[in-house]
Amino acid sequence: MPETTKPSDREIGAEEDFGALFERSLKSPKQGEVITGRVVLIGRDAVTIDIGYKSEGTIPIHEFMTRDGELTVHEGDEVDVYFEASDTESGDIVLSRHKAEQFKVWREIEKAYERDGAVEGTIVGKVKGGLKVDIGVAAFLPGSHADLRPTRNLDRYIGQRGRFAILKFNRSRGNVVVSRRSVLERERTALKSETLKVLEEGVILEGTVKNITDYGAFVDLGGIDGLLHVTDMSWGRVGHPSEVINGGDRVKVVVLKYDPERERVSLGMKQIMPDPWTTIAERLPLNARIRGKVVSLTDYGAFVEIERGIEGLIHVSEMSWTKRVTHPSKVLEVGQEVEVQVLDIDPTNRRVSLGLKQTEPNPWELVRINHPVGSKIRGKIRSITDFGLFVEVEESIDGLVHVSDLHWTKKVKHPSELYRKGDEVEAVVLGIDVDNERISLGIKQLTEDPWLQVPKRYAPGTRARGTVTSVTDFGVFVELEEGIEGLVHVSQLSTERVDKPSALFKPGDPVEAEVTTVDAREKRIGLSIKVLRKTEERADMEAYLARERDSGRFSLADVMPEADKQKG
């Protein structure tokens, strides 16, 4: 048997080199492939990469630089590169880092397109008809695919990073069309299915405020929107939803109503918090003085926030004791801190009545003390109306002299017949009504009522002279002295029947009549011309008989009626 010999170290080394070369030849990179290499040297202008080929390749260093000029690799790092070509004579190979990245991007684009997937990208600018997106290569995002709803303001999307679906692409031409809307729709559909699993009345959810209107806000609950009405945002009054929430806010809401068929959801925010009106009577006793902030003004008053969710109304009539406030803005302004008094609480109708003037002393109480009924005051006439004079009693406090209290006897048609605005007058306090803030004054009460002496001067049976002031169907009015009139009824105008008083008298005619009745309280005097005539006839008869009796011709019996003689 032949003797075998042990191979030498040189022979073994040669065999190993040959094996390595053979294995490397099997793994030799091919043109157009992306392969992994190792950075062996970083020079000034280029980076040397070992890709396991017979020679090393170089790549311009700028392909490893960021826009800010920072180097992204170090010696020893493994990087993917694109094998462009090799020179068999010189042994040089051409590599590209940029093309390797582009190759990977296009592979991802192709996979995303085939699998209905999405790629990451950043919206970098605006172009005609849409937006430009950087997904590793430049892509076009049509304006109609920028969001779930069409929008005119595309500028607000610039700079946003997100995921984009591939609508179509052409690698040879370098064209890619993407859609942000498709991704959002997929996400929304997935979220919606999850939301619908828990959506029911009474459940509390967290959502994002999508957009705000005058009447409320739409909240995205996760694939489905709900309406949060302005009246359900706060227990207090809300002028506009933007006072409470802003677009993009994350809010907790409770489902008030859900219609599965129409997919309509009504939401509430205030319902999560306790209703402050249920215990308001315990916190705000009547007549309590509290501080609050004026939140709004109306023609009829001012609304004051006295605690979160609770507003009270200061009616315009409760703003000043003495001044007539034409509009709340004359006294208060929005944002002003004020002290008020609780006048009334109505939890059922959610109303609180407040008073501003009640926090100051009531000047009408002082008037009652300083000017009791029966006392005299002097003041200027502030204004004149058809029904009387307003006279200043104290600063900003006027009293009324009614037209009927100007003169005892004069018939005053209008106060301006006797007085002018600004005149200083004296008057008597007749009455004070603190609750209704009224003072009654009288000028005629400064003198005695002349009618108190009329019964003495015009006792029944008195012969009175006067002038006709007016003629009516029922009689004639006669002025006996200034302001004192009497009435001659139609039945008392003559001893004969009178149908029309105007046939006998006219205004201005002198009249003599006898006083038949006097009523000082009602200020009435009854006169009679008929009675006066009979009185005159009786007096003439008595005078005639007296003369005849003195001459002895007749006795009283001669002129007495037959009936009287029989009685005698």
Side-chain angles (χ1 to χ4, degrees):
M1 178 179 286
E3 184 179 357
T4 59
T5 60
K6 185 178 180 180
S8 65
D9 292 340
R10 185 173 182 179
E11 290 175 331
I12 294 174
E15 290 178 358
E16 288 179 347
D17 289 343
F18 178 79
L21 289 172
F22 178 76
E23 184 177 349
R24 180 178 293 183
S25 66
L26 293 176
K27 296 181 179 179
S28 295
K30 298 179 181 179
Q31 186 175 350
E33 286 186 341
V34 174
I35 55 178
T36 301
R38 183 170 56 86
V39 177
V40 294
L41 179 67
I42 298 177
R44 180 178 180 182
D45 300 318
V47 176
T48 303
I49 307 293
D50 178 11
I51 61 171
Y53 196 60
K54 56 185 177 181
S55 63
E56 298 169 342
T58 59
I59 299 176
I61 196 169
H62 67 79
E63 292 193 24
F64 293 94
M65 305 284 282
T66 64
R67 292 182 179 181
D68 297 329
E70 294 182 6
L71 191 64
T72 59
V73 294
H74 300 86
E75 291 182 0
D77 289 352
E78 289 189 347
V79 294
D80 291 334
V81 294
Y82 182 81
F83 187 83
E84 289 194 72
S86 63
D87 189 336
T88 53
E89 294 182 2
S90 64
D92 294 335
I93 58 174
V94 180
L95 304 176
S96 173
R97 168 70 167 171
H98 176 69
K99 287 186 178 181
E101 291 178 342
Q102 292 287 298
F103 184 87
K104 288 174 65 178
V105 169
W106 284 107
R107 288 291 300 274
E108 289 178 7
I109 291 172
E110 186 176 357
K111 289 179 182 179
Y113 179 78
E114 292 173 350
R115 301 173 185 176
D116 288 332
V119 294
E120 293 280 341
T122 303
I123 299 173
V124 294
K126 185 177 177 182
V127 295
K128 184 177 179 180
L131 296 163
K132 182 180 180 181
V133 184
D134 180 6
I135 59 172
V137 295
F140 174 65
L141 172 62
S144 59
H145 283 263
D147 212 329
L148 291 171
R149 291 193 179 101
T151 179
R152 293 182 178 179
N153 182 22
L154 295 177
D155 292 329
R156 68 188 183 96
Y157 296 102
I158 296 175
Q160 290 188 17
R161 184 165 181 81
R163 293 174 60 79
F164 302 86
I166 308 299
L167 295 181
K168 58 181 179 179
F169 73 97
N170 188 317
R171 183 173 179 177
S172 60
R173 295 183 180 180
N175 293 334
V176 184
V177 180
V178 297
S179 172
R180 180 172 178 267
R181 186 184 73 188
S182 297
V183 175
L184 294 176
E185 286 175 345
R186 293 174 197 168
E187 293 175 350
R188 188 173 179 81
T189 301
L191 284 172
K192 182 177 179 180
S193 62
E194 293 299 318
T195 302
L196 290 176
K197 293 178 182 178
V198 298
L199 191 62
E200 61 181 20
E201 294 181 9
V203 69
I204 296 177
L205 301 172
E206 189 171 352
T208 303
V209 178
K210 289 185 64 175
N211 62 306
I212 296 174
T213 67
D214 291 338
Y215 55 86
F218 287 94
V219 180
D220 184 358
L221 302 174
I224 186 169
D225 294 344
L227 173 62
L228 175 60
H229 198 270
V230 64
T231 57
D232 291 310
M233 291 183 175
S234 172
W235 289 113
R237 188 180 57 82
V238 179
H240 192 273
S242 58
E243 298 174 8
V244 181
I245 55 177
N246 299 302
D249 285 355
R250 293 287 293 175
V251 293
K252 282 188 176 181
V253 290
V254 60
V255 179
L256 301 179
K257 191 175 181 181
Y258 173 47
D259 184 348
E261 294 182 1
R262 303 169 70 182
E263 291 192 351
R264 288 194 175 180
V265 184
S266 297
L267 304 174
M269 198 160 66
K270 71 180 184 183
Q271 289 80 0
I272 299 176
M273 300 175 287
D275 185 353
W277 286 95
T278 56
T279 57
I280 187 172
E282 301 171 9
R283 302 190 309 277
L284 297 175
L286 291 179
N287 299 320
R289 291 191 179 182
I290 54 176
R291 295 196 67 82
K293 184 175 71 173
V294 178
V295 292
S296 66
L297 301 176
T298 67
D299 292 339
Y300 54 86
F303 284 94
V304 178
E305 185 180 49
I306 50 183
E307 61 179 62
R308 186 174 180 83
I310 300 290
E311 292 178 9
L313 171 67
I314 307 175
H315 193 268
V316 69
S317 62
E318 303 295 343
M319 292 187 174
S320 175
W321 287 113
T322 57
K323 294 179 182 178
R324 183 175 175 272
V325 181
T326 56
H327 194 275
S329 59
K330 302 292 183 182
V331 180
L332 301 169
E333 59 184 25
V334 175
Q336 181 179 350
E337 293 281 342
V338 292
E339 184 181 27
V340 291
Q341 184 167 314
V342 179
L343 303 181
D344 185 53
I345 298 176
D346 185 356
T348 303
N349 294 308
R350 298 177 180 272
R351 293 176 182 172
V352 177
S353 297
L354 304 173
L356 182 65
K357 66 184 183 183
Q358 287 79 3
T359 59
E360 300 175 353
N362 186 352
W364 291 89
E365 290 285 359
L366 298 176
V367 168
R368 182 163 59 182
I369 296 172
N370 298 332
H371 303 284
V373 173
S375 63
K376 296 179 181 179
I377 62 102
R378 288 193 67 84
K380 289 184 178 181
I381 297 175
R382 297 284 299 273
S383 62
I384 298 177
T385 66
D386 293 342
F387 53 85
L389 310 172
F390 283 96
V391 179
E392 184 178 44
V393 177
E394 288 188 359
E395 185 178 359
S396 301
I397 295 181
D398 298 339
L400 172 65
V401 183
H402 195 269
V403 65
S404 62
D405 289 312
L406 291 175
H407 203 281
W408 285 112
T409 57
K410 228 179 237 187
K411 288 186 177 180
V412 182
K413 293 181 179 179
H414 196 277
S416 59
E417 296 174 8
L418 302 177
Y419 302 97
R420 294 183 181 277
K421 182 179 178 181
D423 288 351
E424 188 172 80
V425 295
E426 188 175 24
V428 176
V429 178
L430 303 180
I432 299 176
D433 185 348
V434 175
D435 293 335
N436 293 309
E437 299 179 358
R438 292 176 182 173
I439 300 177
S440 299
L441 303 175
I443 292 178
K444 71 180 184 182
Q445 287 79 3
L446 293 168
T447 59
E448 186 182 38
D449 185 355
W451 277 92
L452 297 177
Q453 302 301 323
V454 165
K456 297 178 182 179
R457 298 200 305 273
Y458 297 97
T462 303
R463 187 186 186 100
R465 294 180 176 84
T467 304
V468 175
T469 56
S470 62
V471 180
T472 67
D473 292 339
F474 57 83
V476 175
F477 285 94
V478 179
E479 184 179 49
L480 303 178
E481 59 182 71
E482 185 180 5
I484 304 295
E485 285 187 344
L487 171 65
V488 183
H489 194 268
V490 65
S491 63
Q492 301 298 315
L493 288 174
S494 175
T495 54
E496 298 178 359
R497 178 182 175 82
V498 177
D499 293 326
K500 290 186 177 182
S502 58
L504 298 178
F505 299 96
K506 64 180 182 297
D509 288 351
V511 173
E512 277 190 331
E514 186 173 315
V515 178
T516 57
T517 59
V518 178
D519 187 342
R521 178 174 293 182
E522 296 295 329
K523 294 180 171 49
R524 292 178 181 174
I525 299 176
L527 302 175
S528 175
I529 296 174
K530 180 179 178 179
V531 171
L532 179 61
R533 293 290 175 259
K534 288 183 178 181
T535 300
E536 289 175 342
E537 289 175 2
R538 188 181 301 110
D540 290 344
M541 177 66 74
E542 290 177 356
Y544 172 75
L545 292 176
R547 288 195 303 272
E548 291 299 319
R549 190 170 47 249
D550 292 342
S551 64
R553 295 181 182 179
F554 297 100
S555 66
L556 183 60
D558 294 332
V559 296
M560 288 178 64
E562 191 65 29
D564 292 340
K565 290 180 181 180
Q566 292 175 1
K567 288 180 182 178

